[in-house]
Amino acid sequence: DGGTAGGSLDDAEKASEALLKTGGNGDDWAGIGYSYDEQRFSPLTDINDKNVGELGIAWFADLEDARGQEATPVVVDGVMYVSHAWSKVDAWDAATGEPLWSFDPKVSGEHAVKGCCDVVNRGVAVWGDKLFVGAFDGRLIALDKKTGKEIWSTQTVDASKPYTITGAPRVVKDMVLIGNGGAEFGVRGYVTAYDADTGKERWRFYTAPNPTKAKDGAASDDIFASKGNATWSDKGEWKVSGGGGTVWDAIVYDKDLDQIYLGVGNGNPWNHGTRSNGEGDNWFLSSVVALDATTGKYKWHYQETPAETWDYTATQPIILAEQQVDGKPAKVLYHAPKNGFFFTIDRTNGKLIDAKPFVDGINWATGYDMATGRPIENPEARFYRTGKPFIAIPGAMGAHNWHPMSYNPATGLVYIPAQQVPQGYLEDMNELDRRQLLGFNTGSSMTGGVLPDDKAAFKAAIAATTGRLVAFDPRTGKVAWGVDYPAAWNGGTMTTAGNLVFQGTSTGRFRAYAADTGKQLLDLDMQSGIIDAPSTFRVGGVQYVAFMTSKGGVFPLAAGIAGGVTRKIPNIPRLVVLKIGGAVKLPALPATTALAWNPPPQFGTPAQVAAGKAHFARYCLVCHGDSAIGNGFTPDLRVSGALANPDAWKSVIIDGALKDRGMVGFAKVMTPADAEAIRAYVIDRSSWTKANLAETGRPYGR
Ligand SMILES: O=C(O)c1cc(C(=O)O)c2c(n1)C(=O)C(=O)c1cc(C(=O)O)[nH]c1-2
Ligand SMILES: [Ca+2]
């Protein structure tokens, strides 16, 4: 209809809206979360708890980039649309696997350094004749659904700042909604609604205040002027950093109440003492915020972690459901954010109905005060007040990260891909922790989180990192059943009326469990780790299950060896589609090349190695792994040929010789002497690894 600003829907758009409102009969998987409620529940029963063991591969397609694959496949009218690493999109015939088109937004390799957590994308939105994808460099792009050709593109961020997009757009009425990421580096979060036909801005809601506390001409102005600004100190680094609060994943439309929920991220810097002078709750960090769908104006919010200081994002997927509360049916939302508590919130007014732990061992708070809705904190957890380091459970990886959870109305259970990844926090800032354009600005020393050299402590730290599929019952606030995994960072879940829960694991298995009891019913070897959530659909009377394999996202990227047993699992970027009786075999694994372990001679004083460690933690760790330990998809620096060659080393680290591959030069923030210090540190780690190979194991060869 060519651009009716704020206009009506054409017939194809009306069909998309109707499908998203109900989810349909299960033939389509119309949005990443299935329908507007984002329950990730399919009514299909062709595959069920009797026959799921007969699932095999119907078809598969190898993908280009060996980075994290986080999207849920979307299927409409027998066509599958999948976004993958670097914001690329492909369409296939969903039943046969015939490729239909490919779209590459051509994100510059140099943009990778602006991302905290890998060059991932969590999915597309299909709407009428179009399809929308957010590109890693901040563009929101509309494509022709049939051809994959670009219709319009709009830059949604200030490209001079470290903003990125990894989340999926959502379409509500005639608007496309998109947020952004960047709170580890220092940006101000917001969500914008664009006209679906033209890409013109309709409204914007900021999730952190204007640093001058002035109005922006945005939908968020009134709530900040009346209440929000007062929750931020007049002192503190947020004035320079923008405060964070990015909306990088959950944006959910409530069709019953005609409102939108935003899952808001952590502050910048993380350290509340540095960020806001230790004062104020800092709206809307770590909150669920409800907005009017048409105007973007504030309706209510619930702050899960007031004055957050541990990177406890509330961006995690949000599920809309109905539940009996005090004997009456209530419209609720379910949320399991990083902080380890499961929240049931009344959608009509934002009131807390319940908050209970979904993992063991949480030590930053003992629970929630139901009268105030606030956490009962452990005072030791506020490391910036005590001046003492605190090892928090959960840590910044979260008790649950972005991996989608699902809800089954038949069992009443929510299936959460949960994990245990403790982390140390220190106030202790040094000269290197000062604000920079490149590198994390967390307001506490990143070196504090690095794995210890002591062998016993090192092994214990890795053993403490585990995963668990948690079937949580919001009606009782208790875990109904759980499945323990040897490693963290397992895939998202999907559930069906066939009494099934599906999940891939970081150790390369694709599993199905009985939704009511947790009994394991399927266990397929998928060769590679799995992080995304599956979807299911039906074409020609046959039900299929689709997902991607890959290793990636922030945990393997930044944690390296802390991934424990997953280090022995290859990284294969691949789309896999299953059906009952599917008989396609995966190709044999490529031969692995053993890594030659020849660290060059050590050099440098202990002070130089320590300085190298601090630089590494600040600038390199997030992509090359804790302790320079590699992760199987970005280069393992400990076996780099450049280690023995100071000139080659400098040409990469300072001059940016490999910038097109995502390794920019760091001349803006480092001197050649700093780069040499990092070389001394990495050689030290290489020698340490060689001496301790039995403990560390080898990363999967590339
Ligand atoms: O604060 C932010 O802006 C931001 C953005 C992102 C992102 O866009 O992927 C992540 C996080 N934070 C984050 O804290 C986090 O744990 C995380 C994990 C992942 C991932 O894709 O594996 N992204 C992000
Ligand atoms: Ca973050």
Side-chain angles (χ1 to χ4, degrees):
D1 58 5
T4 43
S8 53
L9 306 186
D10 65 25
D11 287 347
E13 290 165 338
K14 279 184 192 146
S16 292
E17 182 177 70
L19 192 57
L20 284 165
K21 279 189 171 163
T22 65
N25 66 358
D27 285 358
D28 302 293
W29 188 279
I32 53 159
Y34 184 70
S35 66
Y36 274 138
D37 291 346
E38 305 215 2
Q39 294 181 350
R40 295 175 181 264
F41 167 79
S42 166
L44 295 182
T45 54
D46 308 68
I47 302 170
N48 55 55
D49 54 1
K50 308 277 180 314
N51 64 9
V52 67
E54 295 158 35
L55 276 180
I57 297 174
W59 60 273
F60 69 88
D62 285 332
L63 303 169
E64 268 181 293
D65 306 289
R67 303 295 296 251
Q69 315 297 344
E70 297 191 352
T72 305
V74 169
V75 179
V76 177
D77 293 335
V79 178
M80 183 184 297
Y81 306 93
V82 181
S83 61
H84 39 111
W86 292 106
S87 337
K88 296 176 184 177
V89 187
D90 279 72
W92 289 270
D93 179 309
T96 65
E98 183 202 341
L100 301 178
W101 53 256
S102 298
F103 171 75
D104 180 354
K106 300 213 159 45
V107 172
S108 155
E110 292 182 60
H111 215 89
V113 76
K114 291 192 178 182
C116 64
C117 305
D118 201 359
V119 291
V120 295
N121 189 282
R122 298 190 194 86
V124 300
V126 173
W127 185 252
D129 301 328
K130 297 192 191 72
L131 171 153
F132 302 97
V133 64
F136 195 71
D137 55 16
R139 286 172 290 158
L140 176 66
I141 303 174
L143 303 178
D144 181 322
K145 187 175 89 173
K146 281 215 185 60
T147 62
K149 294 266 177 319
E150 187 171 308
I151 297 172
W152 56 255
S153 167
T154 185
Q155 178 52 269
T156 70
V157 302
D158 174 346
S160 72
K161 300 206 165 128
Y163 280 107
T164 49
I165 296 181
T166 59
R170 312 297 203 280
V171 189
V172 176
K173 300 177 176 181
D174 54 350
M175 295 174 286
V176 199
L177 311 181
I178 192 77
N180 45 54
E184 266 65 59
F185 301 84
V187 296
R188 181 184 178 203
Y190 57 86
V191 165
T192 319
Y194 294 93
D195 184 295
D197 289 324
T198 62
K200 287 220 173 64
E201 183 175 327
R202 296 275 290 280
W203 53 256
R204 174 167 292 179
F205 187 93
Y206 287 95
T207 41
N210 185 313
T212 66
K213 296 195 173 175
K215 297 204 171 185
D216 296 292
S220 39
D221 280 355
D222 293 348
I223 187 61
F224 276 113
S226 62
K227 291 183 174 160
N229 283 341
T231 68
W232 291 74
S233 173
D234 285 326
K235 302 191 202 108
E237 272 216 33
W238 74 274
K239 300 226 152 208
V240 193
S241 75
T246 41
V247 181
W248 53 268
D249 195 11
I251 302 175
V252 177
Y253 176 58
D254 184 333
K255 64 182 189 315
D256 306 328
L257 301 173
D258 196 27
Q259 58 193 18
I260 293 160
Y261 307 109
L262 311 180
V264 183
N266 56 278
N268 181 280
W270 295 355
N271 184 336
H272 180 244
T274 315
R275 182 176 68 240
S276 185
N277 202 34
E279 296 161 353
D281 283 350
N282 295 177
W283 289 10
F284 292 100
L285 303 183
S286 301
S287 302
V288 173
V289 182
L291 306 180
D292 179 89
T294 308
T295 62
K297 293 248 175 168
Y298 171 90
K299 291 184 99 171
W300 55 254
H301 80 287
Y302 174 71
Q303 192 169 39
E304 294 169 343
T305 315
E308 94 81 22
T309 196
W310 309 273
D311 186 27
Y312 284 169
T313 69
T315 56
Q316 281 55 36
I318 293 169
I319 287 178
L320 309 188
E322 299 207 352
Q323 186 193 306
Q324 295 286 325
V325 178
D326 298 332
K328 291 193 210 91
K331 293 189 192 310
V332 299
L333 69 81
Y334 295 141
H335 202 215
K338 275 188 184 176
N339 80 12
F341 290 89
F342 185 97
F343 295 89
T344 304
I345 298 169
D346 185 335
R347 285 191 255 147
T348 62
N349 55 18
K351 288 266 166 344
L352 180 64
I353 295 171
D354 204 6
K356 290 280 158 48
F358 60 89
V359 292
D360 295 333
I362 297 174
N363 66 1
W364 73 275
T366 54
Y368 277 70
D369 176 338
M370 294 306 294
T372 61
R374 296 178 73 90
I376 304 158
E377 285 189 12
N378 170 1
E380 286 170 30
R382 296 225 171 240
F383 53 91
Y384 60 89
R385 290 207 181 120
T386 65
K388 292 196 196 109
F390 182 70
I391 297 181
I393 300 175
M397 291 291 160
H400 172 216
N401 207 301
W402 59 269
H403 311 80
M405 62 183 193
S406 57
Y407 165 70
N408 191 319
T411 62
L413 302 178
V414 179
Y415 306 98
I416 310 167
Q419 57 189 14
Q420 288 282 8
V421 188
Q423 178 171 337
Y425 296 81
L426 277 175
E427 182 172 21
D428 178 12
M429 301 237 300
N430 62 33
E431 180 54 11
L432 284 175
D433 297 320
R434 70 194 183 277
R435 176 154 306 281
Q436 298 285 1
L437 262 178
L438 288 169
F440 276 27
N441 292 302
T442 64
S444 61
S445 166
M446 294 291 287
T447 334
V450 167
L451 286 164
D453 281 3
D454 173 73
K455 271 205 247 174
F458 179 89
K459 277 189 181 173
I462 291 171
T465 299
T466 56
R468 188 166 203 231
L469 169 59
V470 169
F472 189 88
D473 191 338
R475 297 161 301 191
T476 61
K478 295 211 167 72
V479 175
W481 54 261
V483 178
D484 289 313
Y485 295 127
W489 215 246
N490 298 289
T493 71
M494 182 264 286
T495 182
T496 76
N499 190 32
L500 294 171
V501 181
F502 291 94
Q503 186 186 25
T505 75
S506 57
T507 51
R509 318 302 301 186
F510 188 74
R511 297 249 175 99
Y513 303 93
D516 52 359
T517 63
K519 184 172 187 246
Q520 186 179 303
L521 303 172
L522 174 77
D523 179 36
L524 293 174
D525 178 6
M526 281 297 140
Q527 299 183 335
S528 174
I530 299 167
I531 54 177
D532 74 341
S535 58
T536 187
F537 57 94
R538 190 167 51 187
V539 182
V542 178
Q543 186 185 351
Y544 298 85
V545 174
F547 58 92
M548 287 186 278
T549 65
S550 82
K551 288 170 73 170
V554 72
F555 182 61
L557 199 66
I561 198 164
V565 291
T566 65
R567 284 170 57 72
K568 302 195 184 86
I569 308 292
N571 177 24
I572 302 170
R574 177 180 281 157
L575 172 68
V576 181
V577 180
L578 309 176
K579 67 174 179 186
I580 297 290
V584 173
K585 296 269 172 284
L586 294 178
L589 281 173
T592 64
T593 37
L595 298 173
W597 222 277
N598 290 314
Q602 283 189 257
F603 72 97
T605 59
Q608 193 180 17
V609 172
K613 178 177 180 174
H615 282 292
F616 187 91
R618 178 70 188 274
Y619 298 111
C620 320
L621 175 152
V622 67
C623 292
H624 290 281
D626 188 330
S627 311
I629 248 157
N631 50 35
F633 60 104
T634 56
D636 187 331
L637 301 181
R638 297 166 306 166
V639 293
S640 163
L643 266 191
N645 180 339
D647 294 334
W649 186 260
K650 176 186 164 280
S651 76
V652 174
I653 294 191
I654 300 295
D655 307 331
L658 299 178
K659 65 179 164 38
D660 292 341
R661 287 204 248 151
M663 174 61 200
V664 299
F666 284 76
K668 275 188 203 146
V669 289
M670 272 191 241
T671 63
D674 297 336
E676 265 304 89
I678 295 176
R679 193 169 74 93
Y681 170 66
V682 177
I683 289 174
D684 180 74
R685 297 323 301 159
S686 188
S687 309
W688 188 89
T689 309
K690 189 174 182 184
N692 293 285
L693 264 182
E695 270 73 37
T696 60
R698 283 166 197 262
Y700 188 80
R702 323 169 65 235

